[in-house]
Amino acid sequence: MKVLKNMTPNAGQWLMYGRILTIEAVKSMAGMGNWEVVLDSFEFNQKVSDTYFSSSADEGNKFLVLNYTVTNEGTEADNFTSMIGGVEMKAIFKDKYEYKYTITMIDQDLSKESVKPLSSKTGFVVMEVPDEVAKSEDALILKLAKDKDNATINLR
């Protein structure tokens, strides 16, 4: 699984395992497992919605919305995240509070999307977190794992 985070919009820089890379370097990198994963951006919102559905965080909480582009480099269609066999993902606040992803019915929620081999999808994964996490400037880390591979992204 190749995991990247856009460091500054339009700056053409990405971070992988603590190393800043140019977009050109990113394009030539190999994946880890069957997934190439690019974290395009993240934000905190009270709700996520599309034309037909809306999902709101509980009172006192916000959704951490992680916007990804994922590519299935495997030989069969697969779900990016799933109860069994998908990419495991959690946000860790202040090195001790853990939050896992929530499945919504919203279009582009990667938690419910199947991706064909050699195909890419752009979408999001949400995690419901307390307002304190959203408002704080304290450390917030994203951990991803698939089989023996894992990656850590410092969101802030």
Side-chain angles (χ1 to χ4, degrees):
M1 175 172 50
K2 174 171 53 174
V3 181
L4 306 167
K5 177 189 170 203
N6 188 351
M7 292 301 296
T8 52
N10 303 319
Q13 293 183 332
W14 298 80
L15 177 69
M16 181 172 182
Y17 303 109
R19 202 175 65 176
I20 295 177
L21 305 170
T22 64
I23 289 175
E24 291 74 26
V26 168
K27 290 177 182 175
S28 66
M29 298 175 70
M32 181 171 83
N34 289 335
W35 291 101
E36 175 184 298
V37 181
V38 178
L39 177 60
D40 298 314
S41 65
F42 73 96
E43 59 195 351
F44 294 96
N45 289 324
Q46 185 60 40
K47 69 178 188 173
V48 290
S49 59
D50 63 16
T51 306
Y52 302 105
F53 297 102
S54 178
S55 185
S56 296
D58 292 337
E59 187 174 333
N61 291 341
K62 294 275 189 294
F63 283 134
L64 166 57
V65 182
L66 303 159
N67 298 299
Y68 289 105
T69 300
V70 298
T71 303
N72 178 358
E73 296 179 340
T75 58
E76 298 177 2
D78 198 2
N79 288 7
F80 174 57
T81 58
S82 64
M83 297 301 241
I84 300 172
V87 173
E88 297 172 24
M89 190 178 321
K90 62 185 172 182
I92 302 173
F93 178 62
K94 293 184 177 179
D95 293 324
K96 61 182 174 181
Y97 303 102
E98 294 187 5
Y99 305 95
K100 295 192 176 180
Y101 67 89
T102 302
I103 298 172
T104 72
M105 295 301 296
I106 309 301
D107 280 346
Q108 295 189 331
D109 182 341
L110 293 173
S111 299
K112 64 180 186 68
E113 296 281 340
S114 178
V115 183
K116 294 178 182 174
L118 303 178
S119 296
S120 297
K121 287 216 176 184
T122 298
F124 63 87
V125 174
V126 298
M127 298 178 182
E128 190 166 350
V129 300
D131 284 342
E132 178 183 342
V133 174
K135 293 176 186 175
S136 176
E137 292 186 17
D138 290 328
L140 182 61
I141 297 168
L142 181 63
K143 290 197 173 195
L144 297 99
K146 172 77 171 157
D147 302 325
K148 295 180 275 182
D149 299 323
N150 55 65
T152 301
I153 299 172
N154 293 320
L155 297 175
R156 61 169 191 235

